[in-house]
Amino acid sequence: MTLQSDIEEKLVAAFAPERLFVINESHLHAGHHPDITGAGETHMRVRIVSERFTGMTRLARHRAITELLRPELDAGLHALAVEPAAPGEAVRW
């Protein structure tokens, strides 16, 4: 299994999203740190729409996702961009 698929599975289980995109953006960050070559899975973007975010602040949504993915961050995921929304909210994607 890949890190990307692991992240997708965890998000589905925790948030039952209506829409979910986990995008590997590692190739966009090659060379910005000596250990980051652009290969692998170091930079991920999560775009998620879930009913569970209704009534939550943007910060609370980010915290919920970050805490869920804390093991991945501790294990070497260098960057995680999060774009959460509740159903009916405008998204830029």
Side-chain angles (χ1 to χ4, degrees):
M1 270 193 132
T2 65
L3 177 61
Q4 185 173 353
S5 63
D6 288 343
I7 290 171
E8 288 170 356
E9 283 185 17
K10 287 180 94 168
L11 291 168
V12 167
F15 298 107
E18 292 180 7
R19 283 190 291 163
L20 174 63
F21 303 98
V22 178
I23 305 158
N24 183 347
E25 296 183 338
S26 302
H27 65 283
L28 300 174
H29 300 275
H32 89 250
H33 185 277
D35 297 333
I36 297 178
T37 64
E41 297 176 300
T42 58
H43 292 70
M44 295 289 178
R45 178 172 302 274
V46 171
R47 293 177 170 164
I48 183 171
V49 177
S50 173
E51 182 68 38
R52 299 208 178 134
F53 294 139
T54 301
M56 291 176 74
T57 65
R58 185 169 178 82
L59 180 59
R61 294 170 185 182
H62 277 258
R63 284 181 177 159
I65 292 169
T66 300
E67 285 310 307
L68 178 70
L69 300 178
R70 174 68 51 209
E72 288 76 9
L73 290 161
D74 290 345
L77 178 60
H78 181 74
L80 178 66
V82 179
E83 299 178 49
E89 293 180 348
V91 295
R92 296 180 305 184
W93 42 273

